[in-house]
């Protein structure tokens, strides 16, 4: 019997997994985990089937974390899981329920990085990259690669600097020491311009979708869509 799983280190569990009593279909995870009211929502919070959407859990579950350490007023906790859909756990994965009742997981739908199945925030990387006098600004995304996620760091260099192995090694060493080895990007790429919205926000998801050949939502919201 072959089966796969999908869940998270943060929930110490699986939202979807296999079982011995149902058929196995190629490319699908068989069913929901016990005690997991898993569903797939569209952007409006409506349940959908056989379409790619957001993986959610509609009710509390046995291993659900209830707070973060030193998180006053539970602000970070609520922002991490309950900001997109009110009182609904939003896990940040794209998924689909098939006609067989199985699940297909497509990868991250938010800006959280997930190399080796470990959730990492982008802020830890930005905090280190901002220290470099050579770098004007940057954007970091996770790219699906060989059944895993690799971290790609795009940087805009200040005038007078060119990206070379010395600068790359300095960036990687700083991130490894001050964040963790898992935060170290697989590739560091110099670009001319960072894609942003009209109010100046980074569009990490649009960059990720571009890398993976997916359709980009809300392209009209970008101030510089040609940068993609």
């Amino acid at each position: 019997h072959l089966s796969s799983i999908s869940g998270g280190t943060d929930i110490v569990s699986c939202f979807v997994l296999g079982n011995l009593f149902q058929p196995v279909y190629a490319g699908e995870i068989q069913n929901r985990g016990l005690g997991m009211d898993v569903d797939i929502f569209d952007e409006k919070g409506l349940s959908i089937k056989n379409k790619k959407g957001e993986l959610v859990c509609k009710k509390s579950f046995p291993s659900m974390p209830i707070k973060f350490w030193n998180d006053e007023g539970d602000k970070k906790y609520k922002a991490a899981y309950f900001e997109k859909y009110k009182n609904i756990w939003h896990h940040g994965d794209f998924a689909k329920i098939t006609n067989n009742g199985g699940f297909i997981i497509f990868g991250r739908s938010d800006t959280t990085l997930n190399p080796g199945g470990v959730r990492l925030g982008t802020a830890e990387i930005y905090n280190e990259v901002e220290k470099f006098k050579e770098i004007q600004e940057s954007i970091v995304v996770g790219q699906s690669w060989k059944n895993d996620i690799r971290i790609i760091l795009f940087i805009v260099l200040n005038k007078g600097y060119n990206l070379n192995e010395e600068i790359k090694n300095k960036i990687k060493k700083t991130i490894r020491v001050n964040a963790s080895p898992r935060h170290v990007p697989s590739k560091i790429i110099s670009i001319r311009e960072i894609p942003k919205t009209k109010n100046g926000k980074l569009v990490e998801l649009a960059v990720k979708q571009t890398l993976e050949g997916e359709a980009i939502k809300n392209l009209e919201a970008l101030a510089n869509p040609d940068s993609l």
Side-chain angles (χ1 to χ4, degrees):
H1 183 91
L2 293 174
S3 64
S4 188
I5 60 173
S6 183
T9 52
D10 43 351
I11 65 168
V12 202
S13 189
C14 302
F15 281 125
V16 292
L17 38 66
N19 73 71
L20 296 173
F21 307 104
Q22 289 179 285
V24 176
Y25 295 95
E28 299 182 17
I29 302 176
Q30 285 173 283
N31 52 246
R32 298 166 176 83
L34 289 173
M36 299 293 191
D37 189 13
V38 174
D39 203 351
I40 307 300
F41 278 7
D42 64 12
E43 286 296 312
K44 296 179 181 178
L46 300 175
S47 180
I48 55 175
K49 189 174 181 180
N50 219 26
K51 290 183 180 179
K52 183 177 176 180
E54 297 278 356
L55 188 147
V56 300
C57 195
K58 295 185 288 188
K59 296 178 183 176
S60 58
F61 46 93
S63 60
M64 187 178 83
I66 58 173
K67 68 188 295 97
F68 289 163
W69 189 263
N70 288 336
D71 179 20
E72 187 176 347
D74 293 330
K75 291 179 182 177
K76 292 181 180 178
Y77 173 69
K78 291 174 182 176
Y81 301 113
F82 298 99
E83 197 168 64
K84 191 172 182 71
Y85 305 112
K86 187 177 180 180
N87 295 326
I88 300 287
W89 180 284
H90 166 240
H91 200 58
D93 282 340
F94 278 131
K96 177 172 76 172
I97 301 176
T98 71
N99 289 329
N100 301 317
F103 289 79
I104 297 173
I105 308 295
F106 295 97
R108 298 301 300 174
S109 65
D110 60 12
T111 58
T112 303
L113 307 171
N114 203 28
V118 178
R119 287 167 63 100
L120 305 174
T122 54
E124 292 93 336
I125 297 174
Y126 288 129
N127 288 341
E128 300 309 318
V129 173
E130 286 171 1
K131 298 175 182 178
F132 285 84
K133 63 181 181 180
E134 298 94 337
I135 298 174
Q136 184 182 118
E137 55 184 350
S138 63
I139 190 166
V140 62
V141 298
Q143 179 192 24
S144 299
W145 186 258
K146 295 182 178 178
N147 297 317
D148 199 353
I149 300 294
R150 66 176 182 177
I151 298 173
I152 311 293
L153 173 64
F154 296 96
I155 59 174
V156 175
L157 291 163
N158 283 313
K159 285 186 178 180
Y161 294 101
N162 293 309
L163 185 60
N164 53 36
E165 290 304 311
E166 182 183 357
I167 293 176
K168 287 182 182 180
N169 290 335
K170 279 169 57 180
I171 294 170
K172 289 182 177 181
K173 182 179 179 181
T174 299
I175 293 172
R176 182 180 291 108
V177 171
N178 296 327
S180 82
R182 288 189 178 275
H183 287 82
V184 176
S186 297
K187 284 187 172 291
I188 301 174
I189 300 170
S190 176
I191 58 175
R192 291 194 303 271
E193 192 177 13
I194 299 286
K196 295 179 182 177
T197 63
K198 291 173 182 175
N199 58 1
K201 291 183 179 179
L202 300 179
V203 286
E204 293 159 325
L205 184 56
V207 174
K208 176 181 171 64
Q209 289 169 333
T210 301
L211 287 177
E212 300 190 350
E214 297 181 357
I216 300 166
K217 299 175 183 176
N218 299 325
L219 192 62
E220 66 278 2
L222 300 189
N224 53 347
D226 290 344
S227 62
L228 289 169

